[in-house]
Amino acid sequence: MGREVGKQLKEFRVMIWTIGLSFLGSVAMISLYQSYLATSWVVQGLVWLVMFGMCYSFSRHLRSGRKGILRWFRDRINVLFVFGYSFLLWLSMRGTMEHLHDNAWYVTAFVYVGSYLSLCLTVWYVGYLLTKHSYPSITRRSSYRWIWWYALPMILSWGLYLLAFYPGIMGSDSHSHWEQAHTHEYSNWHPVLYTWFIEWLLKLFHSPATVAFAQIILLATIVGYGLYSFRKVGMEKRLLWFVSLFLALLPINGLYSILLLKDVLYSGSILFVTIVLFNIVATRGKWLTSVGHQFIFGLSMFGMVAFRHNGVYIVYVVLFLLCVCYYKYMIRILLPMAVVLFLFYYISGPVYEEIGVSEKNPNEKLGIPQQQIANVLVQNGKITDEQKAYIHDIMPIEKWKEYYNPTYTDPIKFAKSYNSDVIFEEGDPSTFYKTWLSIVAENPYLATEAFLKQTSLVWQMHQRYTDRHEYYNFRTTIQQPNDHGLQTEPKLNGLNGFLTKVAAFTEHHMWPVVWRPAVYAAILLLSLFIAIRKNGWKAGLVGLPVLLNIGTILAGIPAQHFRYLYANVLIFLFLILLALWKQENKPIQKKELEL
């Protein structure tokens, strides 16, 4: 009897400690992001429930005698990852902290230390759970029809979006493609291959809805193929259906699947390459022995180079690492890639020249340098008279200061007084780069500040630097006015109103969770780390395309547009599946090499 009472008292004390620590952790986490007192009680309660559930489960693991959670943390690599990754999360989530300016130093210290320790505990526990729960790779024969079964929820759901926002969603870039598809006066400012994609589809039925429907089918098929690939290696079927339904119902996908922009198919191509790389890794390269698979490999890579200009750089890195990791299959890797690159350079070279495609503006790649120079000028940083004279020739100094927007390059890039001929026609572009590098070297803090502000969409969960109206997430209509008489004509008015309200709700009330690409990037990184720890460093190849895409956007993002990082949304759940998958050391069977 006494022993039972003692056990109950111990449970009671643990519960009290768990409630108290989870409450303190939730206060610190919310206060890192924004004022705790200004946060609604609903959000406070939800954050506390999450912290409580995690702390309680964590304590149960410790008290039950299962020491795996401690052994996981004793691994040196895991420890370094937990502390380093948690610090990056802390920086990404940290708000302006203005709400703490009138508080005592120990309150600020509590928020900083408490939030960081809470993140460390969360990463530790989630990392342990993903490591512990594995689905060993088994060979499961599956019909190709499963691709379509998994794609079906997305086709139906996104098809309803098309009916609700018929004939699709179009912005200024969409109208540019549409104009070129009709005039045949092509500009490589936006990839011409996507313009041709529109042009060819319009021959079937002359409406934006044709393009939107084609995008729905292509995206859903790629996702279905990915889920089918994981089904073949023994992944839990309920998880696969969850991913299918989640992606089908997520408002981002419904809106973007019918958005006429090259970023949509480019993001789908990144997912396609990701799935192909998974098949290569899962079969230790043997998947490439099939001619059909080599065609699929080449097709996925062609999508990367065709639909956005930065895709070709990603393809080269992936190609190099594939050849290093699977050198036994180098010929089977290089042959389809030789065809892809030949087609790409032939089309973008002689064919473009033959039909008179105008080149993209070289000034586009100067966005980050322009922002850094402008910030130095605005902050009165160190700059020589010679540098100032050169910059003044490009655009008057006062205009640099006037047009500088910390998160948007267009005001400077498209200013009437901006003379790019000074850089590219009258002078040598290397002069601009030398001037820029010298200014950065003299003003490292101001240059870093400008870089972090301009790239905040990539790495920051908390929107800290600008007003929300400067961020572009989505639209639900065809932009007006336009020269082609295109306008939104919903086929289901009631559904149009409902889905518009759903999208607005996610933007107004779920902004930090739904519409910040850094949230998905954080999940990608954690999942990929666990996958590498489970299955070796070659598993990292699977996440390479999306990480390289993030890197290229980080190097030159022109504006805070969610579409640049839409691939994060399509891929993050697949990398969670990758983290849950455990490759077995066994011979590869023939049926694993199917499509």
Side-chain angles (χ1 to χ4, degrees):
M1 183 66 177
R3 182 177 298 177
E4 187 66 27
V5 171
K7 185 177 179 181
Q8 291 177 357
L9 286 174
K10 184 177 179 181
E11 287 283 345
F12 179 75
R13 287 196 297 269
V14 170
M15 181 62 70
I16 294 298
W17 273 102
T18 302
I19 292 172
L21 289 175
S22 59
F23 174 73
L24 292 175
S26 65
V27 171
M29 288 295 297
I30 292 174
S31 298
L32 178 72
Y33 193 86
Q34 63 189 30
S35 171
Y36 184 81
L37 297 178
T39 304
S40 72
W41 65 269
V42 175
V43 174
Q44 293 177 4
L46 287 174
V47 174
W48 176 78
L49 279 175
V50 171
M51 292 296 296
F52 173 78
M54 184 190 64
C55 290
Y56 181 72
S57 181
F58 190 92
S59 66
R60 281 182 62 86
H61 274 86
L62 292 178
R63 289 182 290 118
S64 64
R66 289 175 282 183
K67 301 301 182 183
I69 193 168
L70 294 177
R71 285 196 298 271
W72 189 88
F73 193 67
R74 290 192 186 113
D75 185 288
R76 185 177 299 176
I77 296 177
N78 292 344
V79 171
L80 291 173
F81 177 81
V82 166
F83 288 126
Y85 176 78
S86 299
F87 182 66
L88 294 178
L89 285 182
W90 187 88
L91 290 175
S92 180
M93 297 176 65
R94 182 173 174 266
T96 62
M97 311 310 288
E98 292 178 358
H99 55 281
L100 294 179
H101 288 173
D102 58 349
N103 284 269
W105 68 268
Y106 51 81
V107 175
T108 303
F110 161 73
V111 171
Y112 280 28
V113 176
S115 57
Y116 177 65
L117 292 178
S118 297
L119 286 171
C120 287
L121 181 65
T122 302
V123 173
W124 177 5
Y125 187 56
V126 173
Y128 164 72
L129 289 180
L130 287 174
T131 304
K132 176 187 175 185
H133 296 287
S134 296
Y135 294 94
S137 180
I138 60 173
T139 304
R140 178 188 290 158
R141 183 176 292 278
S142 296
S143 168
Y144 300 151
R145 289 193 296 269
W146 280 103
I147 296 175
W148 298 107
W149 281 117
Y150 288 129
L152 185 60
M154 285 161 279
I155 294 173
L156 294 176
S157 176
W158 302 345
L160 289 176
Y161 271 86
L162 178 56
L163 293 174
F165 301 110
Y166 192 88
I169 300 172
M170 298 178 68
S172 58
D173 287 358
S174 310
H175 287 303
S176 176
H177 283 294
W178 190 268
E179 174 76 17
Q180 293 175 49
H182 288 81
T183 63
H184 309 301
E185 296 177 359
Y186 303 111
S187 167
N188 204 27
W189 185 287
H190 304 297
V192 177
L193 284 164
Y194 184 72
T195 302
W196 288 346
F197 173 76
I198 294 175
E199 190 174 329
W200 295 331
L201 287 172
L202 292 183
K203 293 178 181 179
L204 300 176
F205 183 71
H206 195 273
S207 169
T210 310
V211 183
F213 182 70
Q215 290 184 169
I216 289 173
I217 297 299
L218 287 172
L219 285 180
T221 303
I222 292 170
V223 174
Y225 177 54
L227 296 175
Y228 162 78
S229 297
F230 275 96
R231 178 187 175 88
K232 285 196 308 175
V233 297
M235 184 56 61
E236 169 62 44
K237 297 177 184 178
R238 289 172 296 182
L239 273 178
L240 300 178
W241 278 113
F242 170 81
V243 172
S244 175
L245 293 172
F246 182 89
L247 293 177
L249 298 176
L250 188 65
I252 296 173
N253 292 328
L255 293 169
Y256 272 65
S257 63
I258 60 172
L259 174 64
L260 273 65
L261 277 177
K262 77 276 187 183
D263 305 272
V264 176
L265 289 188
Y266 173 72
S267 299
S269 297
I270 295 178
L271 174 60
F272 194 6
V273 173
T274 300
I275 300 306
V276 167
L277 291 175
F278 170 73
N279 283 318
I280 293 172
V281 170
T283 60
R284 303 184 188 92
K286 292 185 179 180
W287 186 84
L288 289 163
T289 57
S290 163
V291 175
H293 293 168
Q294 293 171 32
F295 174 78
I296 293 172
F297 171 63
L299 183 64
S300 67
M301 288 293 195
F302 186 77
M304 289 272 287
V305 301
F307 294 125
R308 208 157 69 192
H309 297 308
N310 60 315
V312 67
Y313 307 114
I314 299 173
V315 163
Y316 274 122
V317 176
V318 171
L319 177 61
F320 172 75
L321 291 177
L322 267 180
C323 289
V324 171
C325 295
Y326 299 101
Y327 57 88
K328 292 181 180 179
Y329 304 96
M330 187 177 295
I331 299 299
R332 291 179 171 89
I333 293 170
L334 292 178
L335 280 178
M337 283 309 305
V339 175
V340 167
L341 293 174
F342 171 78
L343 285 175
F344 173 71
Y345 285 112
Y346 179 73
I347 292 171
S348 60
V351 173
Y352 280 11
E353 185 176 349
E354 177 69 22
I355 63 177
V357 175
S358 60
E359 288 299 317
K360 60 182 179 179
N361 189 340
N363 198 50
E364 276 287 299
K365 58 188 176 184
L366 302 183
I368 296 294
Q370 289 167 348
Q371 294 293 86
Q372 292 177 316
I373 291 172
N375 191 47
V376 170
L377 293 172
V378 168
Q379 302 291 342
N380 297 315
K382 298 177 183 179
I383 186 168
T384 66
D385 292 338
E386 183 182 356
Q387 293 168 343
K388 188 175 292 187
Y390 176 72
I391 294 169
H392 184 82
D393 287 341
I394 298 172
M395 185 167 67
I397 299 296
E398 60 272 14
K399 293 297 183 181
W400 282 90
K401 295 180 179 181
E402 178 184 346
Y403 294 140
Y404 176 55
N405 181 317
T407 59
Y408 193 38
T409 63
D410 283 6
I412 290 177
K413 186 168 56 182
F414 296 120
K416 292 181 179 179
S417 53
Y418 186 94
N419 184 9
S420 61
D421 289 346
V422 174
I423 304 172
F424 300 106
E425 301 294 336
E426 301 170 7
D428 187 342
S430 64
T431 304
F432 177 85
Y433 288 113
K434 289 176 182 177
T435 303
W436 161 60
L437 290 172
S438 298
I439 293 173
V440 169
E442 288 294 323
N443 303 271
Y445 175 80
L446 295 178
T448 302
E449 179 186 50
F451 176 78
L452 291 177
K453 289 181 178 181
Q454 179 60 35
T455 60
S456 61
L457 182 75
V458 180
W459 63 270
Q460 196 174 52
M461 296 184 196
H462 186 285
Q463 178 193 327
R464 190 157 75 227
Y465 293 123
T466 62
D467 294 331
R468 186 169 296 183
H469 73 272
E470 294 179 3
Y471 288 76
Y472 179 85
N473 292 324
F474 67 90
R475 63 184 315 116
T476 57
T477 60
I478 293 177
Q479 187 182 51
Q480 301 293 333
N482 62 78
D483 297 330
H484 302 278
L486 298 172
Q487 58 184 355
T488 302
E489 299 174 339
K491 300 300 182 183
L492 300 171
N493 286 305
L495 186 60
N496 175 282
F498 172 73
L499 292 177
T500 300
K501 289 178 180 178
V502 169
F505 178 84
T506 62
E507 185 173 40
H508 296 149
H509 302 286
M510 303 177 69
W511 172 280
V513 177
V514 176
W515 291 106
R516 296 300 290 178
V519 173
Y520 305 100
I523 299 172
L524 291 169
L525 287 172
L526 176 58
S527 301
L528 196 58
F529 172 77
I530 299 302
I532 292 172
R533 295 295 288 157
K534 275 187 181 180
N535 300 304
W537 63 273
K538 288 183 181 179
L541 287 173
V542 180
L544 190 61
V546 69
L547 292 184
L548 289 173
N549 182 61
I550 293 172
T552 58
I553 298 301
L554 190 68
I557 184 171
Q560 308 300 301
H561 290 185
F562 187 92
R563 60 189 172 93
Y564 298 140
L565 295 163
Y566 175 52
N568 293 12
V569 178
L570 292 176
I571 294 172
F572 83 102
L573 286 175
F574 284 95
L575 289 196
I576 293 177
L577 293 178
L578 180 68
L580 292 171
W581 173 70
K582 174 64 176 171
Q583 189 171 37
E584 296 294 315
N585 187 20
K586 62 178 184 179
I588 303 299
Q589 299 184 30
K590 183 177 180 180
K591 57 185 176 181
E592 291 184 75
L593 304 179
E594 296 174 351
L595 179 67

